[in-house]
Amino acid sequence: AQSVTQLDSHVSVSEGTPVLLRCNYSSSYSPSLFWYVQHPNKGLQLLLKYTSAATLVKGINGFEAEFKKSETSFHLTKPSAHMSDAAEYFCVVSGRPTGANNLFFGTGTRLTVIP
Amino acid sequence: EAGVAQSPRYKIIEKRQSVAFWCNPISGHATLYWYQQILGQGPKLLIQFQNNGVVDDSQLPKDRFSAERLKGVDSTLKIQPAKLEDSAVYLCASSLDRGQYSGANVLTFGAGSRLTVL
């Protein structure tokens, strides 16, 4: 079975400081992993995806994530937070050996950016 | 390209009433999904269509929820009768994949339909 655990329900950082959102996964297969972002009253938007290629994945808006199989982790990072990064972030694992079919979402991490 | 369209954006009903949500996916996308997102939780898959066939409806409460995608394009999700615990955002998503599983296949989500059951 596939599942993800987001270790922090809420993260607060100051503008210009690094962001770290933690995610651990469980999968019966070699997983495909994703991070989605949800701004208030907007649809979910894909930030980045890992699909068994390079373990360090770069996404949009300066975000990146590193797949660590030994730690079953897929943490999301950004060197310098911007006010516009304030949103809900979801770590997601796919329900298939590869691909994005039938995604399993974590419970989300709300990122607050303090001016 | 146009995104995934959903309507209505907001709906308030009383318990035991019925409600329907509509979704128009991205043109050419074979797969359509309905997710339920309860406040404070991550989205949960309700039903997945491949063209007009159901791939997975194991999490759909079939005694009150129904969904269809008659022509393999638009889809409707209906709740009848609604319960208080159905208050949630109902998200529609679509993806291009046609049975070829690939990391290139990504879900595109609509803005959602927020349901409040009183």
Side-chain angles (χ1 to χ4, degrees):
Chain A
Q2 281 65 250
S3 67
V4 290
T5 301
Q6 293 186 244
L7 300 170
D8 307 292
S9 60
H10 188 198
V11 170
S12 183
V13 300
S14 297
E15 189 176 18
T17 64
V19 176
L20 169 64
L21 305 183
R22 299 182 295 165
C23 172
N24 288 115
Y25 70 90
S26 173
S27 176
S28 304
Y29 312 105
S30 295
S32 291
L33 292 159
F34 309 80
W35 277 96
Y36 277 79
V37 61
Q38 187 174 38
H39 288 92
N41 298 315
K42 292 190 177 180
L44 288 154
Q45 180 185 18
L46 179 69
L47 276 180
L48 51 80
K49 61 179 187 246
Y50 165 78
T51 56
S52 75
T55 56
L56 182 62
V57 181
K58 294 187 182 298
I60 61 172
N61 301 333
F63 284 94
E64 61 182 38
E66 186 171 8
F67 173 73
K68 292 186 176 180
K69 185 176 181 179
S70 61
E71 300 176 9
T72 61
S73 69
F74 190 58
H75 301 333
L76 181 71
T77 60
K78 183 173 180 177
S80 177
H82 190 273
M83 294 299 295
S84 62
D85 295 329
E88 189 89 16
Y89 291 80
F90 292 95
C91 183
V92 186
V93 64
S94 69
R96 301 282 188 176
T98 59
N101 303 64
N102 192 1
L103 304 181
F104 292 87
F105 284 75
T107 52
T109 299
R110 179 166 298 278
L111 176 65
T112 299
V113 182
I114 303 167
Chain B
E1 79 186 344
V4 175
Q6 290 189 247
S7 67
R9 287 296 310 276
Y10 305 93
K11 189 74 175 179
I12 300 173
I13 61 173
E14 294 189 350
K15 60 183 179 183
R16 291 187 289 274
Q17 288 186 323
S18 63
V19 64
F21 302 112
W22 172 83
C23 173
N24 180 236
I26 291 175
S27 177
H29 278 197
T31 307
L32 185 147
Y33 312 76
W34 283 101
Y35 281 83
Q36 180 193 56
Q37 186 176 17
I38 294 172
L39 186 65
Q41 299 181 19
K44 182 187 76 173
L45 180 72
L46 291 175
I47 189 167
Q48 176 183 347
F49 293 95
Q50 181 103 11
N51 296 309
N52 60 352
V54 175
V55 174
D56 184 351
D57 64 356
S58 58
Q59 299 297 309
L60 188 74
K62 298 180 184 64
D63 58 333
R64 298 182 301 105
F65 285 65
S66 64
E68 59 184 13
R69 192 184 184 199
L70 290 175
K71 297 182 180 180
V73 181
D74 293 7
S75 177
T76 56
L77 175 70
K78 298 180 181 178
I79 308 174
Q80 182 178 11
K83 292 185 175 181
L84 296 177
E85 59 260 36
D86 298 332
S87 294
V89 176
Y90 291 86
L91 297 166
C92 180
S94 67
S95 63
L96 182 62
D97 54 289
R98 297 185 176 90
Q100 295 178 359
Y101 304 119
S102 162
N105 294 329
V106 172
L107 273 63
T108 302
F109 285 83
S113 295
R114 182 179 296 276
L115 173 65
T116 301
V117 182
L118 303 177

